[in-house]
Amino acid sequence: MKKRTKITLGVFCGLFLLICVVGLFMLKKISAAGGIRYLYNLRHDTTGMAETEYFPEAAAGADGPVSCTAETDPAVLGMKETVRSYEDGEAVLLEGDYDLMRKEPISFTDYAVAGTVDGIFTFRGNYHRTLSSYGTAQISKEKFSKDFWSYDTGKLLKSNGKSFWSGNGWTGQPLIISWPEETKRIMNLYPEKKTKENFVEVIYSGMDGYIHFLDLEDGSESRDAIHIGMVFKGTASLHPSGIPLLVLGSGDAQTGLFGENVSPRVYIYSLIDGTKLYEFGDNDEMAYRTFHAYDSSPVIDVTTDTLIYPGENGVLYTLKLNTKYDAQAGTLSIEPEHLSDFTYSTARATESAFTWGMENSAVVNEHYLYVGDNGGVFFCLDLNTMSMVWAQDVYGDVNSSPIFSEETDGNFIYVATTLTEAMLDAHSMGTVAIYKLNAANGAVVWKKSFECHNVDGVEGGILATGVLGQGAIEGQIIYSVSRCPGLSSGYLVSLDTQTGEEVWLKELSAYAWSSTVTLYSQIGAVYLVQCCSDGTVLLLNAANGVLLDSISLNTTLEATPAVFGNTIVVGTRDERIIGLTVE
């Protein structure tokens, strides 16, 4: 009897201990998620997708000159513009109605849509952000190959000294390039890669503080990695003319050897020998915002050799690189000359609520740049006068990069938003939207809204950049929407570009920050690849959203893949770079 009592007591104590451990775990999770609100959001879905608001008259004039309307005049949002101009090497601040004209006018034409390199040289492939894949995929089985390569990366301690940035995060897209033979000859590639036929290189900057160089075919190292020791969350850019010049920006501060704060900044590297050529943008006193980070993928105007880099500190930088490149001699140098830097303030922007800062990758066309900020403003900037032409209030954090679209009735821009704390209701829910804007004047042609969650310290809404349909899916714009309608679920939605109405909708069991990518097959079929937060990668028919195949990588996926032919490359949060193929 005593023995039975002891056993019963032991079982009871074991169960009590288990309950305590589970309870403490749940309390910790609830506390980290923002308290009791987390339980509410677990049990309650949002209203999901709303009806489209359509304003067809706003499309008028999209084929005309760029100017503001009464509603999109920057003065409506209380814009105060400031330019730092450099005269004889001295910085001069200009405010108000300044009169500035660039000595060498910028005008993006062919380089806005494609560079002269074979591959993906910037975020979403070009400066209209419309190219998520390069080349034609040879597809017959419509399945992921079970064999894939994997390359181990690493992690880096955060500036708080407590946790780590690991692997690759948002936006985190690799660059994939097929170098010309003359360029391969002068670069510090391993000998076997220099002589390899059809060699294609993956260039991947990550949150482990390195730039990794891999062979697309098997994931083997193609040259020594470059160690910088700063976090790279965003996507780098190569010079679009094929010059082996890499520009990238760090996304968080680091703690130095002596405990000092090392500010994020922009780096420019030669890919001939891995030499750092220049850095700038750290602790800029011009910035209204004290957080300096550079997650945007920069733009380079080839004709004037001008680098254009939007910063999360709210400053947009322009520098003449003065590039000297001799492919025969194998030499590359730059002598950067700061030309003019632009910043602004609004009546609404503060460090704690709606903030300054450009975290998305800008689009350019002719001499105009279009970009959104963390404070809900999307605007058009004349790069030659460094002044705002128009500004539209999209009331939400613009993390998703805009998409520039040349359509039969004019030029348009697709913009999407993410929730901020200032937008949330009592249950940590709020509304984000996808917009179609008239590129000439910023007017809203249509708006598609979604109610999302924003708890657990993880943002809801649209962090992914959309896919503008081409070929068989022309007339569609496809986005992933995170934490909608469920706390951990999401939508993959295709909208009609003309009206904003739903073409098809697929509910995802795990939301996606990763941008959707396309594969265009040899027979004209179009496929979508969607990486989800739970490590699942989906293969879908782009025309109707039907799921064809899936594969689990058993990790967290936030980064955006890049596609070259049949191969998809993406970095994971558990410190791997993966190369998948579609058969």
Side-chain angles (χ1 to χ4, degrees):
M1 188 71 180
K2 288 183 180 180
K3 186 176 181 181
R4 185 180 298 177
T5 303
K6 286 181 180 180
I7 293 173
T8 305
L9 185 60
V11 171
F12 175 80
C13 290
L15 287 172
F16 180 77
L17 183 62
L18 179 63
I19 291 168
C20 289
V21 169
V22 172
L24 286 171
F25 174 79
M26 289 301 297
L27 284 172
K28 185 177 180 181
K29 188 173 179 64
I30 291 167
S31 177
I36 201 69
R37 293 183 305 170
Y38 180 78
L39 294 179
Y40 179 91
N41 288 72
L42 273 175
R43 297 176 57 195
H44 294 82
D45 285 352
T46 69
T47 55
M49 185 169 64
E51 295 294 321
T52 304
E53 300 173 61
Y54 182 35
F55 313 98
E57 66 281 359
D63 56 351
V66 178
S67 63
C68 66
T69 67
E71 291 76 22
T72 62
D73 188 322
V76 173
L77 296 176
M79 288 294 176
K80 177 185 175 184
E81 302 173 50
T82 303
V83 168
R84 179 170 55 200
S85 181
Y86 295 84
E87 301 175 8
D88 299 322
E90 295 293 323
V92 178
L93 289 181
L94 308 174
E95 296 181 334
D97 296 325
Y98 49 82
D99 184 14
L100 185 71
M101 179 56 69
R102 195 176 292 276
K103 292 178 182 178
E104 292 183 276
I106 288 172
S107 185
F108 286 92
T109 51
D110 294 342
Y111 283 104
V113 194
T116 59
V117 296
D118 294 329
I120 304 291
F121 70 89
T122 188
F123 182 65
R124 303 302 271 180
N126 60 30
Y127 297 153
H128 280 179
R129 313 300 174 186
T130 57
L131 187 70
S132 64
S133 61
Y134 183 85
T136 301
Q138 304 298 311
I139 296 175
S140 57
K141 296 181 180 178
E142 298 182 334
K143 299 284 185 183
F144 289 113
S145 171
K146 300 303 179 185
D147 297 322
F148 57 87
W149 58 254
S150 178
Y151 175 83
D152 292 340
T153 58
K155 59 187 176 184
L156 199 61
L157 191 66
K158 291 184 178 180
S159 56
N160 62 17
K162 298 177 182 178
S163 53
F164 289 87
W165 293 110
S166 60
N168 294 85
W170 180 94
T171 57
Q173 177 209 285
L175 308 178
I176 307 180
I177 301 296
S178 176
W179 295 109
E181 288 301 318
E182 66 170 13
T183 310
K184 286 169 58 180
R185 177 183 60 83
I186 63 173
M187 292 194 298
N188 61 345
L189 294 167
Y190 296 151
E192 66 273 18
K193 304 303 180 183
K194 284 191 178 188
T195 58
K196 181 178 179 179
E197 277 192 53
N198 302 317
F199 167 70
V200 178
E201 187 169 44
V202 176
I203 303 170
Y204 217 155
S205 52
M207 299 198 296
D208 60 353
Y210 284 86
I211 306 170
H212 297 281
F213 301 90
L214 309 175
D215 186 326
L216 176 68
E217 184 178 28
D218 58 11
S220 60
E221 293 181 354
S222 53
R223 61 174 106 182
D224 290 346
I226 298 173
H227 178 249
I228 303 176
M230 298 291 285
V231 167
F232 297 99
K233 295 185 292 175
T235 301
S237 277
L238 285 165
H239 201 291
S241 69
I243 296 173
L245 190 75
L246 184 72
V247 186
L248 68 166
S250 51
D252 190 19
Q254 287 295 297
T255 302
L257 291 175
F258 305 101
E260 75 278 16
N261 179 279
V262 181
S263 173
R265 64 201 68 195
V266 175
Y267 296 88
I268 305 176
Y269 275 82
S270 165
L271 293 188
I272 292 178
D273 58 6
T275 301
K276 182 176 70 175
L277 302 178
Y278 195 64
E279 61 182 66
F280 69 92
D282 53 309
N283 294 319
D284 193 339
E285 294 181 355
M286 182 189 185
Y288 286 104
R289 191 177 184 188
T290 58
F291 181 64
H292 299 276
Y294 301 93
D295 286 345
S296 179
S297 191
V299 169
I300 297 175
D301 175 41
V302 173
T303 305
T304 63
D305 199 24
T306 302
L307 171 66
I308 303 162
Y309 212 129
E312 204 171 346
N313 59 357
V315 180
L316 185 139
Y317 299 88
T318 66
L319 293 79
K320 184 175 179 62
L321 294 175
N322 293 307
T323 306
K324 295 179 182 178
Y325 175 54
D326 187 331
Q328 291 300 315
T331 58
L332 173 60
S333 66
I334 59 174
E335 295 179 13
E337 174 188 354
H338 287 258
L339 300 175
S340 53
D341 306 322
F342 173 85
T343 192
Y344 61 95
S345 65
T346 69
R348 184 170 67 196
T350 68
E351 284 274 16
S352 59
F354 289 94
T355 57
W356 305 274
M358 294 159 281
E359 200 170 358
N360 53 99
S361 298
V363 295
V364 289
N365 193 65
E366 297 178 347
H367 57 282
Y368 299 104
L369 176 142
Y370 304 85
V371 70
D373 71 7
N374 297 140
V377 176
F378 190 87
F379 64 90
C380 170
L381 183 77
D382 186 326
L383 287 167
N384 290 332
T385 63
M386 294 299 279
S387 58
M388 272 193 199
V389 181
W390 56 256
Q392 178 60 257
D393 187 357
V394 294
Y395 200 76
D397 187 354
V398 185
N399 288 301
S400 170
S401 293
I403 298 169
F404 191 92
S405 177
E406 298 174 298
E407 301 177 12
T408 54
D409 51 345
N411 295 330
F412 298 91
I413 298 174
Y414 297 92
V415 182
T417 61
T418 307
L419 290 173
T420 67
E421 287 294 326
M423 301 166 63
L424 303 180
D425 64 16
H427 296 299
S428 294
M429 298 179 185
T431 300
V432 302
I434 300 167
Y435 295 83
K436 180 177 183 177
L437 303 182
N438 183 324
N441 56 33
V444 177
V445 179
W446 53 255
K447 174 184 177 182
K448 189 72 168 180
S449 298
F450 303 82
E451 189 180 37
C452 303
H453 299 274
N454 196 44
V455 234
D456 196 15
V458 182
E459 292 154 320
I462 305 159
L463 286 93
T465 298
V467 166
L468 183 63
Q470 300 172 27
I473 59 167
E474 186 174 357
Q476 295 183 46
I477 184 84
I478 301 166
Y479 279 92
S480 64
V481 185
S482 67
R483 312 199 77 159
C484 173
L487 183 61
S488 299
S489 66
Y491 286 145
L492 188 59
V493 60
S494 174
L495 303 175
D496 185 294
T497 56
Q498 288 297 307
T499 65
E501 293 295 341
E502 175 191 330
V503 177
W504 55 260
L505 176 71
K506 181 171 182 58
E507 290 200 30
L508 305 176
S509 58
Y511 64 82
W513 284 4
S514 177
S515 302
T516 315
V517 294
T518 52
L519 285 84
Y520 291 85
S521 82
Q522 74 278 14
I523 60 170
V526 187
Y527 301 90
L528 298 178
V529 173
Q530 180 64 64
C531 295
C532 301
S533 56
D534 67 350
T536 304
V537 185
L538 309 176
L539 179 67
L540 306 101
N541 183 325
N544 53 26
V546 171
L547 181 66
L548 303 171
D549 195 22
S550 66
I551 187 170
S552 177
L553 299 180
N554 299 309
T555 182
T556 298
L557 285 172
E558 296 174 359
T560 290
V563 180
F564 194 103
N566 284 54
T567 305
I568 304 146
V569 181
V570 66
T572 72
R573 287 305 305 270
D574 71 344
E575 304 166 35
R576 292 180 291 159
I577 297 171
I578 304 291
L580 293 165
T581 56
V582 177
E583 300 175 321

